[in-house]
Amino acid sequence: MHLSRYFLPVLRETPSDAEIVSHKLMLRAGMVRQSAAGIYSWLPLGLKVLRKIEAIVREEQNRAGAVEVLMPTIQSADLWRESGRYDAYGKEMLRIKDRHNRDVLYGPTAEEVITTIFRDSVRSYKDLPKNLYNIQWKFRDEVRPRFGVMRGREFLMKDAYSFDLTKDAAREAYRRMFVSYLRTFARMGLRAVPMRADTGPIGGDLSHEFIILAETGESQVFCHKDLIEGEIPASDTDFRGDLTPIFDRWTSLYAATSEEHDAERFAREVPADKQVSARGIEVGHIFYFGTKYSEPMGARVQGPDGQQVTLEMGSYGIGVSRLVGAIIEASHDEAGIVWPVPVAPFEVAVVNLKAGDADTDKAALDVKARLEAAGIDVLLDDTDERAGAKFATMDLIGIPYQVIVGPKGVKAGEIEVKERKTGTRDTLPLEAGLERTITRILDQRVLV
Amino acid sequence: MHLSRYFLPVLRETPSDAEIVSHKLMLRAGMVRQSAAGIYSWLPLGLKVLRKIEAIVREEQNRAGAVEVLMPTIQSADLWRESGRYDAYGKEMLRIKDRHNRDVLYGPTAEEVITTIFRDSVRSYKDLPKNLYNIQWKFRDEVRPRFGVMRGREFLMKDAYSFDLTKDAAREAYRRMFVSYLRTFARMGLRAVPMRADTGPIGGDLSHEFIILAETGESQVFCHKDLIEGEIPASDTDFRGDLTPIFDRWTSLYAATSEEHDAERFAREVPADKQVSARGIEVGHIFYFGTKYSEPMGARVQGPDGQQVTLEMGSYGIGVSRLVGAIIEASHDEAGIVWPVPVAPFEVAVVNLKAGDADTDKAALDVKARLEAAGIDVLLDDTDERAGAKFATMDLIGIPYQVIVGPKGVKAGEIEVKERKTGTRDTLPLEAGLERTITRILDQRVLV
């Protein structure tokens, strides 16, 4: 992509209405613009990150055997009356009357919709187990939306729903998502710790939140230090096999959100030098809730003995749009965002120091073409800004590597390669510089 | 994908509430389920088609120089008051009050949102031309939603918005989208004819609808027969060059929707044997409307002479979810859907005729692996249904090629290859059968 043809409205000054660093940086880097309170438009740079996160979530859901569907944003209130949640759900539900005065709503979650689809389509235990997920916009009418996309009203969520014949099978489904989530967040460069959590309005009796630690976190969390460096399950993990050992290893150490925290147990079970008490950001939440929806909604299948069995269910959320902010909270410095390669909007910025100079233009286009031929995602700064402003923008928007092409280097057959994370800058012969950049990016693309 | 692990709830009987063939077939093929009046959930098979259509639209928008953004579904009513459309827009707008009693709405289109973003971000003519597009769910509260996804209330639309300094530049932007649309629909196996059309509630003085001809079309259209086989611009068309010759060639022959139809001119300009009067389905609609939004909303940039210039704009829609139905209307037979390869949910169905038989299972898995190694998208029917039912399902869901693996063939080292479109079935040696299938699919993947 040529920057001159792109749409990247960066801001030199920090917007005064943004409270936390990710919100400030997303506005400054031209990633989002607020269109209404808690409602954002995603500009090209932000959308690219959102899509990369979405793709990782999708790949890991598929790997774990979940199948993708897409449910609508607008749901019928009657479905929520069937489950008994319509009146119980508070003011966060955006309630709407359509032109025929029928009650509809903007889905904050989709247990009712998916349970209906499943009930009307599946008759036999032979079609189980199933886990259906979707990545769709949701709406929660927060009383005071804030923190940018971290607590917006309209947000992108991955929500999966498992259907099983027995409690044991449902717990297996739960473990599959648990293990899948460990991989999902690690692939984005995040260390998310699963913590026992309250089930809240979703219901049920087993629940974990996946929390990343960050100073600006919204809630207090407590865990054993070893969990922060716990071993991430490999990509060839057999999701059709027994995942109990992995699940047990990750749940044997103390970890709890403040609602579930037991100070006495924490003190007793965790050695003092391993006690972590920190602020956390929730990026995923999984629930096993048995027959809470299937029972009132009549979702049953025929079991092996011919009897009707009420389905055992769970649901599994990931805050996809929230993750964009969460990754920035976890990875930034004074100059701006520091994207991990797997979610970077572009992997390399080629900075042309003298746009309009025929030789430099040619060299910069050549570097871009060489990198793209290696499958690298490149942004070419071909504008006539001054060098300092160009470097500042590329630092701000967090591109992992900058390859700097200037008239002096072109004459000498050299390029300068800057690594965003460390700030190191090296002048190298063209071939060596390209090779090193390509190798480093490919190495960092797959983190687990 | 193994069918046993997939979610494909096909219906043997035609649903009584579906009026047109695409709606019937989408329900029967397990592609969608209605969740509320005019609101559909997309099941895995339907979603795969939707995503393939979306990917083609995206590729062609990018090729034409448009840049992708993503605007929210919920918009502030105040924006629509600025443009003067809030009161003018009828009951099709889903009007909502949030918890603070503020007026919001579910966007039926996004001229106001994008104009605001542009106005607040772009200051100089140097940043022009720009075309920003998004592919996002829209809502129109149709009084009588019908025809499945063809006239649903919640639908997926690609909407692009161009910003230019002068009328001439805006007309160039219009031609870029015009040419891009010809390619977009042709790549899906559709022949869409651009027709002069009424501008309706969007406004402006230049507009074309892109119409595919189908007996079940919603409106009467009139055109010169040669347009139906007009030459599609090649993939290496220079979208930064002058597209006037292509535009003129396509607009020199008569083509009009019923609102714009001039019977006398039609009779005069089109020879009797070239007169086509048919039913059509609108799949795209483009508008040039000048300063209709930029003027009231104050969207201006500094021109080369330092003066403020009000932006010239156009907008360009494609009905992404509607296209799923439109393609089926244009391509089906008595047995079911006949997908063109570029939008087929799977390209090959490997039908295992004796699931559970060790040799046949092994052979079927081997065929699947060989096809997948060639990059083919494969569905393996590994269920224990009887052969007739398997063939009927694969015909119904319209997979372009079936590779049939049975115990007799396995012994003889043969497979049977069936082409969905022609119905031809050939028994071939394994290697020859695989090679032919792969070659034919690769040939049909890129239609223009």
Side-chain angles (χ1 to χ4, degrees):
Chain A
M1 176 59 68
H2 290 67
L3 182 55
S4 62
R5 302 174 196 168
Y6 204 52
F7 184 65
L8 183 71
V10 298
L11 305 176
R12 291 288 159 225
E13 274 151 45
T14 300
S16 58
D17 55 335
E19 294 173 58
I20 59 170
V21 67
S22 61
H23 189 192
K24 288 175 190 168
L25 287 173
M26 288 180 73
L27 290 170
R28 285 191 55 208
M31 293 177 64
V32 292
R33 286 293 179 265
Q34 181 169 296
S35 284
I39 301 178
Y40 291 86
S41 288
W42 294 76
L43 305 190
L45 198 81
L47 181 59
K48 278 203 85 174
V49 176
L50 187 70
R51 292 296 182 227
K52 288 200 177 181
I53 291 172
E54 193 180 323
I56 290 173
V57 170
R58 179 174 288 118
E59 273 181 40
E60 294 299 328
Q61 289 290 293
N62 293 345
R63 191 194 305 277
V67 180
E68 190 172 7
V69 299
L70 186 65
M71 289 178 276
T73 60
I74 299 297
Q75 304 178 4
S76 161
D78 286 340
L79 288 181
W80 289 66
R81 294 195 178 104
E82 264 191 72
S83 73
R85 276 209 295 183
Y86 187 66
D87 293 323
Y89 216 99
K91 286 192 166 184
E92 288 190 4
M93 178 189 281
L94 189 66
R95 294 162 205 260
I96 307 168
K97 293 229 183 251
D98 74 8
R99 70 188 291 169
H100 297 300
N101 217 32
R102 283 176 301 216
D103 290 319
V104 295
L105 57 99
Y106 199 121
T109 174
E111 280 79 6
E112 284 80 0
V113 176
I114 198 75
T115 302
T116 308
I117 291 171
F118 211 82
R119 175 190 69 193
D120 297 345
S121 302
V122 177
R123 302 265 170 269
S124 162
Y125 73 96
K126 288 181 192 167
D127 292 322
L128 304 180
K130 280 281 180 289
N131 183 327
L132 302 177
Y133 75 98
N134 82 161
I135 301 175
Q136 178 62 295
W137 294 89
K138 306 287 190 293
F139 201 95
R140 284 187 196 155
D141 202 358
E142 300 269 356
V143 64
R144 195 187 155 207
R146 57 202 290 214
F147 303 150
V149 302
M150 297 280 286
R151 200 181 295 175
R153 294 198 292 168
E154 185 169 332
F155 59 97
L156 188 60
M157 187 165 106
K158 186 284 296 180
D159 40 322
Y161 304 88
S162 64
F163 298 88
D164 286 277
L165 193 69
T166 66
K167 286 185 168 38
D168 281 351
R171 282 171 188 274
E172 274 177 40
Y174 186 90
R175 288 192 289 267
R176 276 195 290 276
M177 285 294 105
F178 184 100
V179 172
S180 172
Y181 276 33
L182 293 172
R183 282 193 50 76
T184 302
F185 300 120
R187 282 190 57 188
M188 300 171 194
L190 294 174
R191 299 302 305 220
V193 178
M195 304 193 179
R196 279 301 294 251
D198 185 38
T199 56
I202 302 286
D205 53 20
L206 176 61
S207 175
H208 284 87
E209 280 183 22
F210 286 73
I211 305 262
I212 61 166
L213 306 186
E215 279 170 31
T216 52
E218 65 218 332
S219 62
Q220 192 68 26
V221 297
F222 305 86
C223 72
H224 192 294
K225 199 175 177 185
D226 291 357
L227 286 172
I228 298 166
E229 287 301 320
E231 189 192 338
I232 301 299
S235 61
D236 61 355
T237 299
D238 179 12
F239 280 92
R240 304 173 69 78
D242 183 12
L243 299 173
T244 314
I246 302 174
F247 181 79
D248 286 351
R249 193 171 70 232
W250 275 87
T251 52
S252 64
L253 295 177
Y254 189 94
T257 60
S258 56
E259 296 87 352
E260 297 280 308
H261 182 53
D262 176 342
E264 212 172 296
R265 222 191 99 203
F266 187 52
R268 190 172 67 238
E269 289 184 9
V270 185
D273 64 330
K274 295 284 191 181
Q275 290 179 5
V276 175
S277 163
R279 305 297 295 177
I281 299 171
E282 179 197 338
V283 289
H285 201 159
I286 62 178
F287 303 88
Y288 161 63
F289 46 69
T291 60
K292 175 174 161 135
Y293 300 91
S294 50
E295 181 61 48
M297 300 185 79
R300 287 180 279 274
V301 294
Q302 193 174 53
D305 59 359
Q307 299 295 306
Q308 291 289 305
V309 182
T310 300
L311 289 161
E312 290 281 330
M313 292 176 58
S315 73
Y316 314 92
I318 289 179
V320 177
S321 50
R322 155 171 275 227
L323 272 164
V324 181
I327 293 169
I328 296 174
E329 291 292 334
S331 185
H332 66 272
D333 63 19
E334 297 215 331
I337 304 166
V338 183
W339 291 116
V341 167
V343 297
F346 295 95
E347 295 168 313
V348 175
V350 175
V351 180
N352 180 338
L353 289 184
K354 202 173 178 187
D357 173 71
D359 288 346
T360 315
D361 286 353
K362 187 174 169 303
L365 282 171
D366 179 53
V367 166
K368 172 173 179 280
R370 292 282 301 276
L371 291 168
E372 285 177 345
I376 307 290
D377 203 354
V378 182
L379 178 66
L380 168 64
D381 186 345
D382 59 342
T383 66
D384 54 10
E385 280 266 23
R386 61 192 173 74
K390 289 190 176 195
F391 297 143
T393 296
M394 293 306 144
D395 281 354
L396 171 64
I397 70 174
I399 310 303
Y401 290 89
Q402 294 170 28
V403 173
I404 300 152
V405 182
K408 249 171 66 184
V410 169
K411 280 206 185 86
E414 291 173 339
I415 53 177
E416 194 179 346
V417 179
K418 176 177 168 184
E419 188 178 44
R420 174 67 183 88
K421 196 174 177 176
T422 57
T424 55
R425 302 171 72 133
D426 294 300
T427 299
L428 294 163
L430 177 66
E431 294 301 323
L434 286 174
E435 197 191 314
R436 196 173 87 175
T437 307
I438 293 166
T439 307
R440 293 201 173 167
I441 286 168
L442 297 183
D443 279 353
Q444 292 172 59
R445 256 198 205 158
V446 181
L447 300 178
V448 286
Chain B
M1 176 58 69
H2 291 68
L3 183 55
S4 63
R5 301 174 196 168
Y6 205 52
F7 183 65
L8 184 70
V10 297
L11 305 175
R12 292 287 161 225
E13 274 150 46
T14 300
S16 58
D17 55 335
E19 293 172 61
I20 60 170
V21 67
S22 61
H23 190 192
K24 289 175 190 168
L25 287 173
M26 287 180 73
L27 291 169
R28 286 191 56 208
M31 291 177 65
V32 291
R33 286 293 180 265
Q34 182 170 295
S35 284
I39 301 178
Y40 291 84
S41 288
W42 294 77
L43 306 191
L45 198 79
L47 180 59
K48 278 203 82 176
V49 175
L50 188 70
R51 292 296 182 225
K52 288 200 177 182
I53 291 172
E54 193 181 322
I56 290 173
V57 171
R58 180 173 289 119
E59 273 180 42
E60 294 299 329
Q61 289 290 294
N62 293 345
R63 191 195 306 277
V67 180
E68 190 172 8
V69 299
L70 187 65
M71 289 176 277
T73 61
I74 300 297
Q75 304 177 4
S76 160
D78 285 341
L79 287 182
W80 289 65
R81 293 194 179 106
E82 263 192 73
S83 73
R85 278 210 293 182
Y86 186 66
D87 293 322
Y89 217 97
K91 287 193 164 183
E92 288 189 4
M93 179 189 280
L94 189 65
R95 293 160 204 263
I96 306 168
K97 292 229 182 252
D98 74 7
R99 71 187 291 171
H100 297 299
N101 215 32
R102 283 176 299 215
D103 289 319
V104 295
L105 57 98
Y106 199 122
T109 175
E111 280 80 6
E112 284 81 359
V113 175
I114 198 77
T115 301
T116 308
I117 291 171
F118 211 83
R119 175 189 68 193
D120 296 345
S121 303
V122 177
R123 301 265 169 269
S124 163
Y125 74 96
K126 288 183 193 164
D127 291 322
L128 303 181
K130 279 281 181 289
N131 183 328
L132 303 177
Y133 75 99
N134 83 159
I135 302 174
Q136 177 62 296
W137 293 90
K138 306 287 190 295
F139 201 94
R140 285 188 197 155
D141 202 358
E142 299 269 355
V143 63
R144 195 187 156 209
R146 57 202 293 215
F147 303 151
V149 302
M150 296 278 286
R151 200 181 297 173
R153 294 198 290 169
E154 186 169 331
F155 59 96
L156 188 60
M157 187 164 106
K158 185 284 297 181
D159 39 322
Y161 304 88
S162 63
F163 298 87
D164 286 278
L165 192 69
T166 65
K167 284 186 171 37
D168 280 350
R171 282 171 188 274
E172 274 176 40
Y174 186 90
R175 288 193 288 270
R176 277 195 290 276
M177 286 293 106
F178 184 99
V179 171
S180 172
Y181 277 31
L182 292 172
R183 284 193 48 76
T184 302
F185 300 120
R187 281 190 58 189
M188 301 170 193
L190 294 174
R191 298 303 304 222
V193 178
M195 303 192 179
R196 279 301 293 251
D198 185 39
T199 56
I202 302 287
D205 54 18
L206 176 60
S207 174
H208 284 87
E209 282 183 19
F210 286 74
I211 305 264
I212 61 166
L213 306 185
E215 279 170 32
T216 52
E218 64 218 333
S219 63
Q220 193 68 27
V221 297
F222 306 86
C223 72
H224 192 294
K225 199 176 177 184
D226 291 357
L227 286 172
I228 299 167
E229 287 301 319
E231 189 191 337
I232 302 298
S235 62
D236 62 355
T237 299
D238 178 12
F239 280 93
R240 303 174 70 78
D242 183 12
L243 300 172
T244 314
I246 302 174
F247 181 78
D248 286 350
R249 194 171 70 232
W250 275 88
T251 53
S252 63
L253 296 176
Y254 190 95
T257 60
S258 56
E259 296 88 352
E260 297 281 308
H261 182 53
D262 176 342
E264 213 171 296
R265 221 192 100 203
F266 187 52
R268 192 173 65 239
E269 289 184 10
V270 185
D273 63 329
K274 294 285 192 182
Q275 290 181 4
V276 175
S277 163
R279 305 297 294 178
I281 299 171
E282 180 196 338
V283 290
H285 201 159
I286 63 178
F287 302 88
Y288 160 62
F289 46 69
T291 60
K292 176 175 159 135
Y293 301 91
S294 50
E295 180 62 47
M297 301 185 77
R300 286 180 281 272
V301 294
Q302 193 174 52
D305 58 359
Q307 298 295 305
Q308 291 289 305
V309 181
T310 301
L311 290 161
E312 289 282 329
M313 291 177 58
S315 74
Y316 314 92
I318 289 179
V320 177
S321 50
R322 155 171 274 226
L323 272 165
V324 182
I327 294 168
I328 296 173
E329 292 292 334
S331 185
H332 65 272
D333 62 19
E334 297 214 328
I337 304 165
V338 183
W339 290 116
V341 167
V343 296
F346 296 95
E347 295 169 312
V348 175
V350 175
V351 180
N352 180 339
L353 289 184
K354 204 174 178 186
D357 174 69
D359 288 347
T360 315
D361 286 352
K362 187 172 168 305
L365 282 171
D366 179 54
V367 166
K368 173 174 178 279
R370 292 283 300 277
L371 291 167
E372 284 176 346
I376 308 288
D377 203 354
V378 181
L379 178 66
L380 168 64
D381 186 345
D382 58 343
T383 65
D384 55 9
E385 280 266 22
R386 63 193 172 74
K390 289 189 176 194
F391 297 142
T393 296
M394 293 306 144
D395 282 353
L396 172 64
I397 70 174
I399 310 303
Y401 291 89
Q402 295 171 26
V403 173
I404 300 152
V405 181
K408 250 171 64 182
V410 170
K411 280 203 185 86
E414 291 172 341
I415 53 176
E416 195 179 345
V417 179
K418 177 177 167 182
E419 189 178 44
R420 175 66 182 88
K421 195 174 179 177
T422 58
T424 55
R425 302 170 70 133
D426 294 300
T427 300
L428 295 163
L430 176 65
E431 294 300 325
L434 286 175
E435 197 191 314
R436 197 173 86 176
T437 306
I438 292 167
T439 306
R440 292 199 175 169
I441 286 168
L442 297 182
D443 280 353
Q444 291 172 59
R445 254 194 207 162
V446 181
L447 299 179
V448 287

